């Protein structure tokens, strides 16, 4: 079998590759001169729609707490009463009433405590949504870097397959390569062309995804310039991490808040069943003017009322002096209240089970994320060793070419292998960095604290 050697100068190879290079340049998407740094992309997160939507949900909970606090405060009302009587003239009386929830079990106080816990849960939901956006942006940013690396690798592979087909075609014409070898080379070229089209589509999709998250035009989106960083495991042991997660994770804290809601609801239902509907009123009247103060034990509300006659057509004997009024109503048979207590007890049991489920799920999630980070770190070492091997193979191929015992296509193939190894190492670093972020999120950390959100 006679081998056809390449031109060591590479001049002939370059001439044959010029049409392919021109085609690739025409198909490749426009490269923007301005790069996109990861820190700049993260700073743009607070202006995205998803971030603002999370803020609006939190602001809604703030408004609800403000309304509950306002309902708990002092309330004033005024009124007037005009009476026209046949034979006795007419009279106009103006009145005013002030009321305030003073007892800790008043309905307004219950509403405030409920709104406070709702605000806590809204803050947890906002932190959770922000963390998800933070991780999603990292993923999309590095997906774009990977898509660019895949496109460069596909372009290099296509150029290699075209060169290999040219060599096999020449060998076939010289009788040193079979038709099967020629068909295999042609199939490899077709596969490389298909991979190039797939890489171009993936790159466009990755660019559109990141631009959509940031609210930018894809044509205005610069190329990602920040490489991934190799993370390290937390200094704390796994058991300490589990304890930190149970104290900080939004899902666990949300389940704990809902348990407190259930406890408050049960206490309120039992209180409504046991406390009688009792009220006391103290009043004073003089010449038609009255002043009275009252306290409702069941609702926990104190009130103060005053009435003043503005004018009367005829005078009459008006009562004068103090008055004391007491009223009491004790529930003896109240199936509605009893049913409310049973419902609250069932809800409390469900909330306790939900909290236990959340804690178990949190422990499992932290263990899994911790293991994922360890696995990703091990993959980095393997990818780095593969890159060292690819670098050595490239140096060997270059040395063989200079010594006249190798070909330029062997060097080209080694360059493609090195490009593939570099891509694999960056992919391993990306997976490790994302795994570290996922672990911090599983521990309940606030990933976006440095972004300065409200």
């Amino acid at each position: 079998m006679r081998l056809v050697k390449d031109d060591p100068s590479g001049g002939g190879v370059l001439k044959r590759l010029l049409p392919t290079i021109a085609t690739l340049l025409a198909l490749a998407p426009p490269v923007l001169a301005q790069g996109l740094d990861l820190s700049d992309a993260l700073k743009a997160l607070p202006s995205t729609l998803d971030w603002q939507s999370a803020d609006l949900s939190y602001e809604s909970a703030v408004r609800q707490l403000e309304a509950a606090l306002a309902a708990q405060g002092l309330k004033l009302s005024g009124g007037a009463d005009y009476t026209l009587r046949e034979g006795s003239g007419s009279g106009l009386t103006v009145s005013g009433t002030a009321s305030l929830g003073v007892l800790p079990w008043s309905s307004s106080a219950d509403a405030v405590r409920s709104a406070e816990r709702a605000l806590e849960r809204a803050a947890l939901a906002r932190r959770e949504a922000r963390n998800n956006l933070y991780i999603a942006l990292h993923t999309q940013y590095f997906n774009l870097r990977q898509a660019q690396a895949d496109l460069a690798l596909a372009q290099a592979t296509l150029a290699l397959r075209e060169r290999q087909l040219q060599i096999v075609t020449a060998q076939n014409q010289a009788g040193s390569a079979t038709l099967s070898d020629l068909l295999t080379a042609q199939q490899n070229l077709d596969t490389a062309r298909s991979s190039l089209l797939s890489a171009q589509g993936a790159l466009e999709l990755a660019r559109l995804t990141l631009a959509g998250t940031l609210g930018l035009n894809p044509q205005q989106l610069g190329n990602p310039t920040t490489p991934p960083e190799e993370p390290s495991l937390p200094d704390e042991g796994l058991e300490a991490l589990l304890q930190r997660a149970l104290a900080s994770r939004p899902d666990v804290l949300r389940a704990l808040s809902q348990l407190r809601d259930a406890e408050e609801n049960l206490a309120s239902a039992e209180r409504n069943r046991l406390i009688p509907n009792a009220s006391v009123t103290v009043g004073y009247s003089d010449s038609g003017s009255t002043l009275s103060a009252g306290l409702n034990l069941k609702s926990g509300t104190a009130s103060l009322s005053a009435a003043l006659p503005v004018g009367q057509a005829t005078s009459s004997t008006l009562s004068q002096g103090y008055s004391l009024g007491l009223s009491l109503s004790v529930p003896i048979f109240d199936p509605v209240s009893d049913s409310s207590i049973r419902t609250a007890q069932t809800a409390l049991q469900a909330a306790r089970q939900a909290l236990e489920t959340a804690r178990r799920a949190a422990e499992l999630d932290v263990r899994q994320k911790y293991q994922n980070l360890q696995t990703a770190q091990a993959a980095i070492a393997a990818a780095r060793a593969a890159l060292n091997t690819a670098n050595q193979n490239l140096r060997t191929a270059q040395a063989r070419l200079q010594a006249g015992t190798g070909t330029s296509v062997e060097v080209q193939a080694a360059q493609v292998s090195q490009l593939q190894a570099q891509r694999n190492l960056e992919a391993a670093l990306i997976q490790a960095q994302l795994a570290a972020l996922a672990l911090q999120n599983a521990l309940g950390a606030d990933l976006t604290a440095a972004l300065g959100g409200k």
Side-chain angles (χ1 to χ4, degrees):
M1 179 180 293
R2 185 167 58 88
L3 297 178
V4 179
K5 282 198 172 184
D6 299 331
D7 183 5
S9 64
V13 175
L14 180 61
K15 291 180 181 179
R16 286 189 291 270
L17 291 180
L18 282 178
T20 301
I21 296 175
T23 302
L24 293 176
L25 291 176
L27 292 174
V31 179
L32 302 181
Q34 182 180 4
L36 176 62
D37 189 76
L38 178 58
S39 60
D40 294 334
L42 291 174
K43 291 177 183 178
L45 264 184
S47 61
T48 61
L49 294 178
D50 291 336
W51 184 289
Q52 294 174 1
S53 177
D55 281 346
L56 287 176
S57 298
Y58 178 79
E59 291 295 331
S60 176
V62 172
R63 301 286 87 79
Q64 292 176 2
L65 176 58
E66 291 175 350
L69 289 172
Q72 190 184 28
L74 181 66
K75 293 180 283 293
L76 299 174
S77 61
D81 181 20
Y82 179 77
T83 303
L84 178 61
R85 297 182 180 90
E86 183 180 359
S88 60
S90 61
L92 175 64
T93 303
V94 294
S95 61
T97 302
S99 61
L100 178 66
V102 294
L103 298 181
W105 60 76
S106 65
S107 58
S108 58
D110 287 341
V112 169
R113 288 191 293 268
S114 178
E116 288 174 343
R117 288 190 296 272
L119 181 60
E120 292 174 358
R121 292 193 292 268
L124 294 172
R126 182 179 64 171
R127 191 217 302 177
E128 201 170 27
R130 288 180 174 182
N131 279 3
N132 290 337
L133 285 173
Y134 188 86
I135 294 176
L137 181 62
H138 276 79
T139 303
Q140 295 168 7
Y141 183 89
F142 289 127
N143 281 347
L144 182 56
R145 279 186 63 92
Q146 283 287 278
Q148 290 179 332
D150 289 341
L151 179 61
L153 179 61
Q155 292 170 340
T157 302
L158 177 61
L160 173 63
R161 299 308 183 200
E162 286 185 336
R163 180 65 187 127
Q164 289 174 337
L165 178 61
Q166 292 172 357
I167 294 174
V168 173
T169 300
Q171 291 175 344
N172 178 261
Q173 293 174 353
S176 59
T178 65
L179 179 60
S180 177
D181 295 334
L182 182 62
L183 293 176
T184 300
Q186 181 62 53
Q187 182 180 3
N188 291 338
L189 177 60
D190 293 339
T191 302
R193 287 172 177 168
S194 176
S195 298
L196 177 61
L197 292 176
S198 177
Q200 289 172 338
L203 177 60
E204 183 65 20
L205 180 60
R207 185 178 297 276
L208 289 172
T209 302
L210 180 58
T213 298
L214 297 176
L216 299 176
N217 189 316
Q219 300 301 323
Q220 299 173 343
L221 188 65
N223 293 321
T225 58
T226 304
E229 299 177 354
E230 182 174 358
S232 59
L233 286 172
D235 297 332
E236 305 168 79
L238 181 57
E239 292 303 321
L241 295 177
L242 292 174
Q243 295 303 317
R244 196 206 319 174
L246 293 179
S248 304
R249 280 178 63 107
D251 54 348
V252 175
L253 295 179
R254 187 162 48 244
L256 182 59
S257 176
Q258 290 170 344
L259 174 61
R260 291 172 180 166
D261 261 352
E263 292 172 342
E264 286 281 347
N265 292 336
L266 177 57
S268 177
E270 292 176 340
R271 188 169 56 245
N272 290 335
R273 180 65 177 88
L274 297 176
I275 295 179
N277 189 3
S279 62
V280 57
T281 304
V282 178
Y284 176 77
S285 61
D286 183 12
S287 302
S289 300
T290 60
L291 178 65
S292 62
L295 174 64
N296 188 296
L297 185 63
K298 193 175 187 68
S299 66
T301 303
S303 61
L304 178 65
S305 302
L308 176 65
V310 176
Q312 292 182 348
T314 60
S315 61
S316 61
T317 302
L318 300 175
S319 61
Q320 178 178 353
Y322 294 93
S323 63
L324 174 64
L326 298 173
S327 66
L328 177 64
S329 175
V330 179
I332 299 176
F333 178 70
D334 191 353
V336 175
S337 297
D338 295 337
S339 176
S340 298
I341 292 176
R342 290 192 296 270
T343 301
Q345 289 172 340
T346 302
L348 178 59
Q349 293 176 356
R352 287 172 177 165
Q353 292 179 356
L355 176 59
E356 183 62 25
T357 301
R359 286 173 173 169
R360 292 180 181 178
E363 290 184 1
L364 180 61
D365 189 40
V366 171
R367 291 181 186 276
Q368 182 177 1
K369 297 298 192 300
Y370 190 84
Q371 180 63 39
N372 290 345
L373 180 54
Q374 289 180 319
T375 303
Q377 287 181 322
I380 292 176
R384 199 169 270 134
L387 178 58
N388 292 335
T389 301
N391 290 334
Q392 181 60 41
N393 292 339
L394 177 59
R395 288 192 293 267
T396 300
Q398 291 171 338
R400 285 169 50 83
L401 179 62
Q402 292 178 355
T405 59
T407 64
S408 61
V409 73
E410 291 176 346
V411 175
Q412 190 176 2
Q415 290 173 339
V416 171
S417 298
Q418 182 198 43
L419 193 61
Q420 178 70 62
Q422 289 174 342
R423 184 265 179 204
N424 292 343
L425 176 57
E426 178 159 317
L429 289 170
I430 289 173
Q431 290 302 317
Q433 186 168 348
L434 294 178
L437 289 177
L439 177 58
Q440 291 300 316
N441 186 41
L443 294 175
D446 186 359
L447 303 178
T448 65
L451 298 183
K454 291 189 290 184

